[in-house]
Amino acid sequence: MDSPRTIAVAHLIVRDGSLRGRRFEVESGEITIGRERADILVGDDSEVSRNHAIVRESKDGVEVEDLGSTNGTFVNEQRISEPTRLSDGDIMRVGQTRFDVELTEDPNKTVVSGMVAPPTQEHSAPMPQMPPSSPPQAEAEDTPDRPPESSHADPPPEPHVDELPLPSSKRVEEPEAAPDPAMREETSELPGRMKVGEGAVQRAGSSKRALFVVAGLALFGVVAYAIYTLVADGPPTRADYVTSLNDVCRDRMPRTTGLIGDRARDTERAASKISEVTVQIEELERPEASNREIDRFMSTLEQVGTGLEDLNVSQRANNNRRAQEADRKLQRFVERFENASKNLGTEQCTFER
């Protein structure tokens, strides 16, 4: 059985620029760095690409990978060309921005055979201890100066109250006169009442109550309809968003292989198609919840567009060496994009071969 090991928590501390002193934790397994659509936005460094590098957890710890940036990614001033493991105290640089790598072990997280084990009892938070409640007799013992209460203590004297005649005494002495029948007949028909049917009485205010009930029901119907409209017109689900992506990509993805031997006009046409598809996808309404697979899909699609532009520039300059290097980067970007498209479930967003 493999012995458990403690998981290292990685932090990146910015040393330069407007973000100097900021700490970023590698959350959810990875964190991206760039000038656009990245977890760490380095907008004041012109040498940083839009999608420059990614730092993520690996089986052996934490590693950094360059995402095909123009100026490269450096670890301890050594440019990397493949995923490179980071150690505590390393200095990582993208463009002119440096990061201190800090790795700390989290005692609450351990890994056994590749699975994260829950925190043990010794690492759990201690239960608060409540002080024992003192019995009622202890309070009496702590106050010795208080005289003991006697069970035969005399009751307090009753206050003297002058006897006054009750308000009803006058009514008892003078009985109420019988009501006048003529007066009873005049007041029996009150304006606030009307007789209905078999002697039943209905108050005039009941019609107002019925009106209030009808108005309340109408207001409830309006509010319910407004809520239904908001829910029906809310953000799309992930499945609806993927369906919209397939509709945009269907029969519109250009050919990205074999362009190194073709004319620059073919490469320019492929770059134009990718640009149009990217603009239409960015105009789609995204699901409300944040989704890393969608972000990965968009970032890799932009990398393919950048790779096509670089290849076109090299072909127009008749620089074969640079064109071959740009073509190799383009193929890596295409492979990353198709993996991201497969994970998202977009079957139509694949390039022609």
Side-chain angles (χ1 to χ4, degrees), residues 135-150:
Q137 296 180 357
E139 182 179 357
E141 295 175 358
D142 294 340
T143 56
D145 296 338
R146 184 177 178 181
E149 297 181 358
S150 173

Side-chain angles (χ1 to χ4, degrees), residues 60-89:
D60 298 329
V62 180
E63 65 181 15
V64 59
E65 179 183 359
D66 184 77
L67 298 179
S69 64
T70 303
N71 297 310
T73 301
F74 297 80
V75 176
N76 297 327
E77 294 305 322
Q78 296 292 327
R79 184 165 183 170
I80 64 174
S81 58
E82 58 185 12
T84 303
R85 181 180 177 184
L86 295 175
S87 301
D88 186 33

Side-chain angles (χ1 to χ4, degrees), residues 180-191:
D180 188 358
M183 182 64 68
R184 177 179 302 174
E185 292 178 359
E186 294 177 356
T187 59
S188 61
E189 297 296 334
L190 298 178

Side-chain angles (χ1 to χ4, degrees), residues 58 82 118 269 291:
S58 64
E82 58 185 12
R269 187 181 298 111
N291 193 303

Side-chain angles (χ1 to χ4, degrees), residues 5-20:
R5 60 182 180 85
T6 304
I7 294 180
V9 179
H11 290 85
L12 302 180
I13 306 171
V14 186
R15 300 182 62 178
D16 309 287
S18 59
L19 300 178
R20 181 178 181 181

